Amino acid sequence: MISPLMPNYNRIDIVFDHGEGAWLMTADGQRFLDFGAGIATSSLGHGHPGLTRAIAEQAARVIHVSNLYRIPQAERLAARLVEASFADSVFFCNSGAEANEALVKAFRKTMAGEGKPERYRVICATGAFHGRTLAMISATGNPKYLAGFGPAVAGFDHVPFNSLAAARAAITEETAGFLVEPIQGEGGIIPAEENYLAGLRSIADEHGLLLGFDEVQCGMGRTGKLFAHEWAHVIPDAVSTAKGVAGGFPLGALLTSERVAKHLVPGSHGTTYGGSPLACAAGNAVLDVLLEPGFLENIVKKGERLRMGLETVVKSEPEVFYSVRGQGLMQGLVCAVPNTQVQNACLSEGLLTVVANDNVLRMVPPLIVGDADIDTALTWLAAAARRCRPSSLSVAAK
Ligand SMILES: *Cc1c(COP(=O)(O)O)cnc(C)c1O
């Protein structure tokens, strides 16, 4: 018999009762160190006093009013994001897929507004992940996510990630711009190479095209900058973000330059929930922490500690891991055994991780993770890896 909760997820049979910092607890007292953070989303960890207070206080005042009225919490959050980034203007929605939908619509609308309505196509990268709406599975382009859902939505072309030659060759009279992740997340924590993002900027400028970055996963402090593209010193036309932006409360955002934002005139795009007082109160509470002096710099330091530890584990477990890649608190281990096997071994040690494509195990802890928790995670990962060695497995089987 079908379960009342639709069977579209493969859920691990654990129920968490509450959490504190980087830890999640079950009702019967088991403790797990959360290096998955709800898929890179619980940016302030669990039970964060500032975030929970902001949500509770705002919920008691007013949760939702709709975008028929002014929303000071959204005005403040937008102004702070503009102040801290390349952007001139921000649109709020409720998820990463919606932020990307808004980005693609904004690209098309900008081209139409600039007198080139035939330029509606967006060039995306293979290995990308942009979400699960009908258009975003087409932008993603992965046959695994498209299968069974009928014809792909038109308007997306795909080129190999990190190839500037391929990006240039894919441009036609119908191209509006590019959309790539500065670090591919679901694809397996694959960072853009040194000159890739800057190269895309130059190509876009040569052809009058728009450059968009999907920072739903790598944005909002995860790499030690507010946005990952800042490391490449590139100024995009649009950036989508979501996941960590409100610490686990549903919120997505599209940040754009004025060139793009001015075409999003009243009535052109919208959402009922997007940018509600409650969601934006949560977003502001997250920014309170991220923008504290030294907080982002500290993520760089913690990222280095995690990275050095992971490199040591990779070196001592060559049968289990090939390599480690990523930036800041967004690291991926390329596994030599099935990534789910390592994930399960970690789970039995008490360490929560997330798998990604390309047989990668993701380590994406809350941004508030402490050094002691990083060291504990590394110890448990090493213990899990020892049990995943093909040699020790065959010994165990005898
Ligand atoms: C998770 C993710 C999305 C989709 O976000 P949802 O909130 O699940 O719709 C889009 N892009 C990237 C890079 C992501 O990691």
Side-chain angles (χ1 to χ4, degrees):
M1 210 174 50
I2 191 89
S3 72
L5 195 53
M6 214 173 264
N8 59 316
Y9 301 106
N10 248 327
R11 297 173 193 273
I12 297 170
D13 187 16
I14 304 183
V15 176
F16 298 115
D17 177 71
H18 63 283
E20 199 185 321
W23 294 82
L24 277 172
M25 276 67 85
T26 61
D28 62 4
Q30 281 180 280
R31 291 167 56 85
F32 292 85
L33 185 48
D34 187 7
F35 269 50
I39 318 185
T41 295
S42 307
S43 48
L44 302 192
H46 307 285
H48 187 277
L51 179 60
T52 51
R53 196 185 321 113
I55 290 173
E57 284 177 2
Q58 187 57 52
R61 285 178 163 275
V62 62
I63 292 174
H64 168 84
V65 296
S66 88
N67 289 299
L68 295 172
Y69 308 101
R70 280 186 52 200
I71 300 176
Q73 296 81 358
E75 290 171 9
R76 175 160 180 255
L77 183 57
R80 296 172 83 189
L81 287 170
V82 163
E83 169 72 25
S85 75
F86 77 98
D88 301 316
S89 201
V90 183
F91 166 78
F92 291 117
C93 50
N94 316 286
S95 69
E98 276 177 281
N100 284 325
E101 289 269 349
L103 184 149
V104 170
K105 284 182 71 177
F107 274 19
R108 291 185 179 192
K109 195 85 171 143
T110 300
M111 285 298 159
E114 294 181 355
K116 295 177 187 124
E118 73 284 2
R119 290 199 171 273
Y120 71 96
R121 304 188 68 86
V122 176
I123 297 173
C124 300
T126 51
F129 183 79
H130 299 302
R132 298 291 201 137
T133 60
L134 207 46
M136 285 310 117
I137 55 175
S138 284
T140 295
N142 185 336
K144 191 170 89 179
Y145 303 133
L146 283 158
F149 294 112
V153 170
F156 300 99
D157 300 301
H158 290 88
V159 295
F161 188 54
N162 276 325
S163 166
L164 286 172
R168 186 185 292 278
I171 295 171
T172 69
E173 298 290 283
E174 296 183 334
T175 304
F178 299 103
L179 173 59
V180 299
E181 295 157 81
I183 301 175
Q184 289 192 335
E186 307 301 307
I189 313 292
I190 306 172
E193 281 166 16
E194 180 84 25
N195 293 314
Y196 184 58
L197 301 182
L200 286 180
R201 178 74 275 174
S202 319
I203 296 171
D205 288 344
E206 265 173 56
H207 295 264
L209 306 180
L210 298 164
L211 178 60
F213 294 140
D214 178 343
E215 297 227 18
V216 170
Q217 189 161 159
C218 61
M220 296 314 293
R222 185 136 294 275
T223 66
K225 297 272 190 196
L226 190 59
F227 291 107
H229 71 261
E230 293 169 32
W231 291 106
H233 307 288
V234 172
I235 299 183
D237 300 289
V239 163
S240 55
T241 197
K243 289 201 163 81
V245 69
F249 196 91
L251 179 65
L254 172 66
L255 292 77
T256 76
S257 65
E258 186 169 358
R259 175 185 172 190
V260 172
K262 71 174 182 216
H263 299 284
L264 276 294
V265 295
S268 59
H269 187 54
T271 152
T272 301
Y273 290 127
S276 74
L278 185 54
C280 291
N284 276 308
V286 168
L287 266 195
D288 287 346
V289 175
L290 259 53
L291 298 180
E292 248 168 51
F295 187 81
L296 291 172
E297 290 83 347
N298 209 11
I299 290 178
V300 175
K301 283 200 201 112
K302 289 189 283 195
E304 277 163 8
R305 187 182 191 94
L306 175 62
R307 176 60 175 256
M308 274 165 49
L310 292 175
E311 278 171 9
T312 305
V313 175
V314 168
K315 219 173 263 164
S316 55
E317 297 294 341
E319 286 184 84
V320 181
F321 299 117
Y322 289 127
S323 60
V324 54
R325 61 196 184 197
Q327 188 160 18
L329 291 176
M330 183 175 184
Q331 299 288 338
L333 291 157
V334 188
C335 299
V337 300
N339 55 359
T340 47
Q341 189 190 327
V342 189
Q343 182 190 29
N344 285 331
C346 286
L347 185 64
S348 18
E349 295 293 330
L351 177 64
L352 305 176
T353 59
V354 203
V355 294
N357 290 333
D358 209 21
N359 204 31
V360 160
L361 188 74
R362 263 182 282 187
M363 304 287 271
V364 284
L367 306 181
I368 49 85
V369 71
D371 286 351
D373 289 340
I374 291 174
D375 296 346
T376 303
L378 289 165
T379 305
W380 290 355
L381 175 72
R386 272 195 293 282
R387 291 195 286 112
C388 291
R389 286 179 196 161
S391 51
S392 61
L393 286 181
S394 56
V395 168
K398 273 176 200 165

